Amino acid sequence: MPTDPEPTGPAPTGPEPAAPGPADPEPLIGTHGVAFPGGYTRSTGPVIGRFLTELRDGRLVGVRTASGRVLVPPTEYDPLDGSPVTGDHPGVGPAGTVQTWCWVAEPRPRHPFDRPFAWAAVLLDGADTAMLHALDMGEAAGAEPPRALRAGLRVRPRLRPEAERTGAVTDIACFRPEVTEVRDTGRLDYTVRADPALARYLDAQTEGRILGSRARSGAVYVPPREVDPADGTPVTEEVELPPTGTLTTFSVNHVPDPRAPEVPFVTGYVRLDGADVDLLALVSGVDPARVRPGMRVRAEWLPPEERSRTRPSIRWFVPDPPPDPLREPAPEQEER
């Protein structure tokens, strides 16, 4: 078979051409770290060293500048003009005020908490500069910042136990809001025993009737009384009152109550027709903004199967007659 002739001339030089193949992958970005065998030691100097030493002993101090400002955390120079600070280390705090804050909904592994918290700039009492630290708003805090978290919030530091302090800013475990309220979860159970007059009043209400009592002076009390509170004389005459009356005064409530129709709701005093004292009751069936003293109302009863001698059987009072939204002027028109 014929063969190709041997090549003549000088051999080619240079790199061999790369064989075709897939494109080069993106360069990997690895995880890097810097370690100092034996640790890294930095001299604190007299100013910062004084601050950390006092902090280790449970005290907060700053440093005074030549102009009189108190820096916390302290620096060795005035950041306004670069001049050296003085040797005066006045005490500050421990309480302070939040100047600004940033909510951390998803803490990272090296954060001080494994639940939501805030980073806050806290101006300690007596200081002119704020320090940045963790602010704990409590275990109930969620992904959204609590309503109580705001600029101006008063806070105090929580120091670590003395044996755990090392002279570092982390000797302050965190700041926490000052205590401004106490929530009482206690419960008081008691039994009310009705006297004969009140027992008859409750019995009558289960039948849809309202009883009162007329004293010797002519005054009509509701609920009925055994004794006239004005002069102490016995009351023996019982009268039945209509379920209608006049609202004499009222208040609008914004705290939920299981007996109320909705929030806000109205409580008021109703003077039943023919009575001389007011009856405390709920008011419903009308916009709280339209309630007025002197409004005519009537009782709305619980269904017969829900009535009981252990509580009033009047659910609430409603306007009498009911308000007509087509004819009733708006509140702003009434005020003009």
Side-chain angles (χ1 to χ4, degrees):
M1 292 181 60
T3 60
D4 294 334
E6 292 292 331
T8 59
T13 61
E16 292 290 333
D24 291 339
E26 292 292 330
L28 296 177
I29 301 177
T31 301
H32 304 278
V34 177
F36 296 92
Y40 176 77
T41 302
R42 176 196 169 191
S43 173
T44 61
V47 176
I48 298 176
R50 172 69 178 270
F51 170 76
L52 296 176
T53 300
E54 296 281 1
L55 186 57
R56 182 194 61 191
D57 294 339
R59 295 183 294 271
L60 289 165
V61 301
V63 68
R64 196 179 304 278
T65 66
S67 63
R69 300 169 67 240
V70 176
L71 309 180
V72 179
T75 58
E76 297 172 356
Y77 57 89
D78 188 335
L80 294 182
D81 58 16
S83 62
V85 296
T86 69
D88 184 16
H89 296 268
V92 294
T97 304
V98 171
Q99 302 295 290
T100 185
W101 53 269
C102 175
W103 188 247
V104 182
E106 299 180 1
R108 296 186 176 185
R110 298 192 67 179
H111 278 167
F113 297 99
D114 59 1
R115 51 184 169 79
F117 72 101
W119 292 115
V122 178
L123 183 66
L124 295 172
D125 294 346
D128 294 293
T129 56
M131 67 180 299
L132 180 67
H133 214 293
L135 173 59
D136 180 15
M137 295 299 294
E139 295 184 359
E144 296 297 325
R147 294 179 60 183
L149 178 55
R150 56 180 175 79
L153 177 68
R154 294 287 294 171
V155 296
R156 284 179 176 265
R158 180 173 71 83
L159 297 177
R160 298 191 184 277
E162 186 174 1
E164 298 179 12
R165 299 179 205 155
T166 61
V169 73
T170 51
D171 288 350
I172 301 176
C174 63
F175 281 83
R176 293 187 295 180
E178 287 188 335
V179 177
T180 58
E181 63 180 22
V182 176
R183 186 178 298 275
D184 185 4
T185 58
R187 177 186 174 93
L188 178 62
D189 296 316
Y190 58 94
T191 300
V192 176
R193 298 189 181 277
D195 61 19
L198 182 57
R200 292 192 299 273
Y201 172 76
L202 294 172
D203 283 337
Q205 283 210 354
T206 63
E207 303 169 1
R209 300 184 300 122
I210 303 175
L211 290 185
S213 58
R214 179 176 284 110
R216 185 173 60 180
S217 63
V220 174
Y221 298 103
V222 57
R225 312 287 180 88
E226 291 285 316
V227 176
D228 187 341
D231 57 17
T233 58
V235 178
T236 58
E237 183 183 354
E238 215 163 61
V239 295
E240 185 168 335
L241 298 168
T244 55
T246 301
L247 185 69
T248 59
T249 186
F250 70 95
S251 65
V252 179
N253 304 273
H254 296 268
V255 178
D257 187 301
R259 301 166 299 174
E262 57 186 359
V263 176
F265 65 95
V266 175
T267 56
Y269 282 95
V270 175
R271 180 73 58 90
L272 292 176
D273 296 336
D276 293 290
V277 294
D278 294 343
L279 187 67
L280 178 64
L282 292 170
V283 179
S284 184
V286 60
D287 185 342
R290 299 184 183 275
V291 176
R292 298 289 184 270
M295 187 174 69
R296 293 289 296 171
V297 293
R298 60 178 173 80
E300 188 170 282
W301 298 89
L302 291 169
E305 64 274 11
E306 295 183 20
R307 299 174 192 172
S308 167
R309 294 180 73 250
T310 61
R311 61 170 180 159
S313 297
I314 297 175
R315 188 194 299 274
W316 44 58
F317 282 79
V318 297
D320 184 36
D324 185 350
L326 299 179
R327 300 179 59 184
E328 187 174 4
E332 58 269 22
Q333 296 174 331
E334 293 177 354
E335 292 173 2
R336 291 201 300 268

